[in-house]
Short mmCIF file of all heavy atoms in Angstrom, two decimals:
data_model
loop_
_atom_site.label_atom_id
_atom_site.label_comp_id
_atom_site.label_asym_id
_atom_site.label_seq_id
_atom_site.Cartn_x
_atom_site.Cartn_y
_atom_site.Cartn_z
N VAL V 1 -83.56 111.27 134.54
CA VAL V 1 -84.01 112.42 135.32
C VAL V 1 -83.98 112.00 136.74
O VAL V 1 -84.55 110.99 137.15
CB VAL V 1 -85.41 112.85 134.92
CG1 VAL V 1 -85.90 113.99 135.81
CG2 VAL V 1 -85.45 113.28 133.48
N GLU V 2 -83.22 112.76 137.60
CA GLU V 2 -83.12 112.45 139.03
C GLU V 2 -82.77 113.70 139.77
O GLU V 2 -82.29 114.69 139.21
CB GLU V 2 -82.08 111.36 139.29
CG GLU V 2 -80.65 111.78 139.07
CD GLU V 2 -79.64 110.69 139.48
OE1 GLU V 2 -79.98 109.49 139.43
OE2 GLU V 2 -78.54 111.09 139.77
N PRO V 3 -83.01 113.72 141.11
CA PRO V 3 -82.61 114.85 141.92
C PRO V 3 -81.10 114.86 142.18
O PRO V 3 -80.42 113.84 141.91
CB PRO V 3 -83.37 114.64 143.23
CG PRO V 3 -83.67 113.17 143.30
CD PRO V 3 -83.75 112.72 141.85
N ILE V 4 -80.57 115.96 142.70
CA ILE V 4 -79.13 116.07 142.93
C ILE V 4 -78.61 115.00 143.93
O ILE V 4 -77.42 114.66 143.86
CB ILE V 4 -78.77 117.48 143.47
CG1 ILE V 4 -77.25 117.69 143.56
CG2 ILE V 4 -79.38 117.72 144.86
CD1 ILE V 4 -76.61 117.94 142.25
N ASP V 5 -79.46 114.39 144.69
CA ASP V 5 -79.04 113.33 145.61
C ASP V 5 -79.40 111.93 145.02
O ASP V 5 -79.40 110.96 145.76
CB ASP V 5 -79.59 113.50 146.98
CG ASP V 5 -81.13 113.45 147.03
OD1 ASP V 5 -81.76 113.50 145.96
OD2 ASP V 5 -81.71 113.37 148.16
N GLY V 6 -79.68 111.86 143.73
CA GLY V 6 -80.06 110.61 143.08
C GLY V 6 -78.91 109.67 142.93
O GLY V 6 -77.72 110.00 143.18
N PRO V 7 -79.19 108.44 142.50
CA PRO V 7 -78.14 107.39 142.41
C PRO V 7 -76.93 107.74 141.52
O PRO V 7 -75.81 107.44 141.88
CB PRO V 7 -78.94 106.19 141.86
CG PRO V 7 -80.34 106.45 142.09
CD PRO V 7 -80.51 107.95 142.12
N MET V 8 -77.19 108.35 140.35
CA MET V 8 -76.07 108.66 139.47
C MET V 8 -75.25 109.80 140.04
O MET V 8 -74.02 109.79 140.00
CB MET V 8 -76.51 108.96 138.05
CG MET V 8 -76.95 107.72 137.32
SD MET V 8 -77.13 107.93 135.53
CE MET V 8 -75.42 108.09 135.02
N CYS V 9 -75.92 110.81 140.62
CA CYS V 9 -75.20 111.90 141.23
C CYS V 9 -74.30 111.41 142.36
O CYS V 9 -73.16 111.85 142.50
CB CYS V 9 -76.16 112.97 141.72
SG CYS V 9 -76.92 113.96 140.41
N ARG V 10 -74.83 110.52 143.17
CA ARG V 10 -74.02 109.92 144.27
C ARG V 10 -72.82 109.16 143.68
O ARG V 10 -71.71 109.27 144.20
CB ARG V 10 -74.86 109.08 145.19
CG ARG V 10 -75.81 109.87 146.06
CD ARG V 10 -76.46 109.03 147.13
NE ARG V 10 -77.04 107.77 146.67
CZ ARG V 10 -78.33 107.64 146.28
NH1 ARG V 10 -79.13 108.69 146.31
NH2 ARG V 10 -78.76 106.49 145.87
N ALA V 11 -73.08 108.36 142.68
CA ALA V 11 -72.04 107.52 142.10
C ALA V 11 -70.90 108.35 141.50
O ALA V 11 -69.75 107.92 141.50
CB ALA V 11 -72.61 106.59 141.01
N PHE V 12 -71.24 109.53 140.97
CA PHE V 12 -70.26 110.39 140.34
C PHE V 12 -69.76 111.53 141.24
O PHE V 12 -68.94 112.33 140.88
CB PHE V 12 -70.81 111.01 139.05
CG PHE V 12 -70.86 110.04 137.90
CD1 PHE V 12 -71.88 109.13 137.78
CD2 PHE V 12 -69.89 110.09 136.93
CE1 PHE V 12 -71.92 108.23 136.70
CE2 PHE V 12 -69.92 109.21 135.85
CZ PHE V 12 -70.94 108.28 135.76
N GLY V 13 -70.32 111.59 142.46
CA GLY V 13 -69.90 112.65 143.42
C GLY V 13 -70.32 114.05 142.95
O GLY V 13 -69.61 115.00 143.22
N ILE V 14 -71.45 114.17 142.30
CA ILE V 14 -71.90 115.43 141.75
C ILE V 14 -72.38 116.38 142.85
O ILE V 14 -73.25 115.99 143.68
CB ILE V 14 -73.02 115.23 140.70
CG1 ILE V 14 -72.48 114.40 139.53
CG2 ILE V 14 -73.55 116.60 140.20
CD1 ILE V 14 -71.31 114.97 138.78
N THR V 15 -71.83 117.60 142.86
CA THR V 15 -72.28 118.60 143.84
C THR V 15 -72.81 119.85 143.14
O THR V 15 -73.25 120.81 143.82
CB THR V 15 -71.13 118.99 144.77
OG1 THR V 15 -70.06 119.54 144.01
CG2 THR V 15 -70.64 117.82 145.59
N GLY V 16 -72.73 119.90 141.84
CA GLY V 16 -73.23 121.07 141.08
C GLY V 16 -73.18 120.75 139.59
O GLY V 16 -72.68 119.70 139.19
N THR V 17 -73.72 121.70 138.78
CA THR V 17 -73.77 121.48 137.33
C THR V 17 -73.43 122.80 136.65
O THR V 17 -73.47 123.87 137.25
CB THR V 17 -75.17 121.03 136.92
OG1 THR V 17 -76.12 122.01 137.33
CG2 THR V 17 -75.54 119.68 137.47
N PRO V 18 -73.07 122.75 135.38
CA PRO V 18 -72.94 121.60 134.49
C PRO V 18 -71.61 120.87 134.71
O PRO V 18 -70.62 121.49 135.06
CB PRO V 18 -72.99 122.18 133.11
CG PRO V 18 -72.38 123.55 133.26
CD PRO V 18 -72.82 124.01 134.64
N VAL V 19 -71.64 119.57 134.51
CA VAL V 19 -70.42 118.74 134.59
C VAL V 19 -70.53 117.73 133.45
O VAL V 19 -71.58 117.17 133.23
CB VAL V 19 -70.35 118.00 135.94
CG1 VAL V 19 -69.13 117.02 135.95
CG2 VAL V 19 -70.18 118.99 137.09
N VAL V 20 -69.41 117.52 132.76
CA VAL V 20 -69.30 116.44 131.81
C VAL V 20 -68.14 115.57 132.23
O VAL V 20 -67.01 116.05 132.50
CB VAL V 20 -69.08 116.99 130.36
CG1 VAL V 20 -68.80 115.84 129.41
CG2 VAL V 20 -70.31 117.78 129.92
N VAL V 21 -68.38 114.27 132.31
CA VAL V 21 -67.41 113.29 132.77
C VAL V 21 -67.21 112.28 131.65
O VAL V 21 -68.23 111.79 131.08
CB VAL V 21 -67.88 112.60 134.05
CG1 VAL V 21 -66.93 111.48 134.45
CG2 VAL V 21 -68.06 113.61 135.16
N THR V 22 -65.99 111.95 131.33
CA THR V 22 -65.73 110.84 130.39
C THR V 22 -65.13 109.68 131.19
O THR V 22 -64.39 109.90 132.14
CB THR V 22 -64.80 111.25 129.23
OG1 THR V 22 -63.59 111.78 129.73
CG2 THR V 22 -65.46 112.29 128.33
N LEU V 23 -65.55 108.50 130.79
CA LEU V 23 -65.15 107.30 131.49
C LEU V 23 -64.52 106.32 130.50
O LEU V 23 -64.83 106.30 129.31
CB LEU V 23 -66.36 106.61 132.08
CG LEU V 23 -67.29 107.35 133.01
CD1 LEU V 23 -68.57 106.54 133.20
CD2 LEU V 23 -66.59 107.60 134.29
N ASP V 24 -63.67 105.47 131.01
CA ASP V 24 -63.24 104.26 130.34
C ASP V 24 -63.60 103.15 131.28
O ASP V 24 -62.93 102.94 132.30
CB ASP V 24 -61.74 104.29 130.03
CG ASP V 24 -61.35 103.09 129.19
OD1 ASP V 24 -62.21 102.30 128.76
OD2 ASP V 24 -60.15 102.94 128.93
N GLY V 25 -64.70 102.47 131.05
CA GLY V 25 -65.24 101.55 132.01
C GLY V 25 -65.80 102.34 133.15
O GLY V 25 -66.61 103.27 132.94
N ARG V 26 -65.32 102.09 134.36
CA ARG V 26 -65.82 102.84 135.52
C ARG V 26 -64.83 103.90 136.00
O ARG V 26 -65.07 104.58 136.98
CB ARG V 26 -66.10 101.83 136.67
CG ARG V 26 -67.26 100.93 136.30
CD ARG V 26 -67.61 99.97 137.35
NE ARG V 26 -68.01 100.73 138.57
CZ ARG V 26 -68.81 100.25 139.48
NH1 ARG V 26 -69.32 99.08 139.32
NH2 ARG V 26 -69.10 100.97 140.50
N ARG V 27 -63.71 104.06 135.34
CA ARG V 27 -62.72 105.03 135.73
C ARG V 27 -62.91 106.34 134.98
O ARG V 27 -63.05 106.39 133.76
CB ARG V 27 -61.32 104.50 135.41
CG ARG V 27 -60.23 105.54 135.60
CD ARG V 27 -59.11 105.19 136.52
NE ARG V 27 -59.41 104.34 137.64
CZ ARG V 27 -58.54 103.46 138.13
NH1 ARG V 27 -57.36 103.34 137.61
NH2 ARG V 27 -58.88 102.73 139.15
N ILE V 28 -62.87 107.44 135.72
CA ILE V 28 -63.03 108.78 135.15
C ILE V 28 -61.72 109.15 134.44
O ILE V 28 -60.67 109.15 135.09
CB ILE V 28 -63.43 109.82 136.21
CG1 ILE V 28 -64.79 109.48 136.77
CG2 ILE V 28 -63.37 111.21 135.62
CD1 ILE V 28 -65.23 110.38 137.93
N THR V 29 -61.83 109.47 133.15
CA THR V 29 -60.64 109.89 132.40
C THR V 29 -60.59 111.40 132.22
O THR V 29 -59.56 111.96 131.86
CB THR V 29 -60.59 109.22 131.04
OG1 THR V 29 -61.79 109.48 130.29
CG2 THR V 29 -60.44 107.68 131.15
N HIS V 30 -61.75 112.06 132.42
CA HIS V 30 -61.83 113.51 132.31
C HIS V 30 -63.08 113.98 133.04
O HIS V 30 -64.16 113.44 132.87
CB HIS V 30 -61.88 113.98 130.85
CG HIS V 30 -62.09 115.45 130.71
ND1 HIS V 30 -61.07 116.35 130.81
CD2 HIS V 30 -63.21 116.17 130.49
CE1 HIS V 30 -61.58 117.60 130.65
NE2 HIS V 30 -62.84 117.49 130.48
N ALA V 31 -62.93 114.98 133.88
CA ALA V 31 -64.07 115.65 134.57
C ALA V 31 -63.93 117.10 134.37
O ALA V 31 -62.89 117.69 134.65
CB ALA V 31 -64.08 115.27 136.07
N GLY V 32 -64.97 117.75 133.85
CA GLY V 32 -64.84 119.15 133.54
C GLY V 32 -66.11 119.95 133.75
O GLY V 32 -67.22 119.47 133.72
N HIS V 33 -65.87 121.26 134.00
CA HIS V 33 -66.93 122.23 134.14
C HIS V 33 -66.38 123.57 133.67
O HIS V 33 -65.30 123.94 134.14
CB HIS V 33 -67.40 122.35 135.57
CG HIS V 33 -68.17 123.62 135.83
ND1 HIS V 33 -69.47 123.77 135.46
CD2 HIS V 33 -67.82 124.80 136.43
CE1 HIS V 33 -69.90 124.98 135.79
NE2 HIS V 33 -68.89 125.62 136.38
N PRO V 34 -66.98 124.27 132.77
CA PRO V 34 -68.13 123.83 132.01
C PRO V 34 -67.65 122.91 130.86
O PRO V 34 -66.49 122.63 130.74
CB PRO V 34 -68.69 125.16 131.43
CG PRO V 34 -67.46 126.04 131.32
CD PRO V 34 -66.57 125.63 132.48
#
């Protein structure tokens, strides 16, 4: 649980929701909404 400017949101570049991101390690393999 964090605010929109929290550490994970910053790490993933989140500017809105809902978003689902899949990773392989640290690389994004899919980013989608909804």
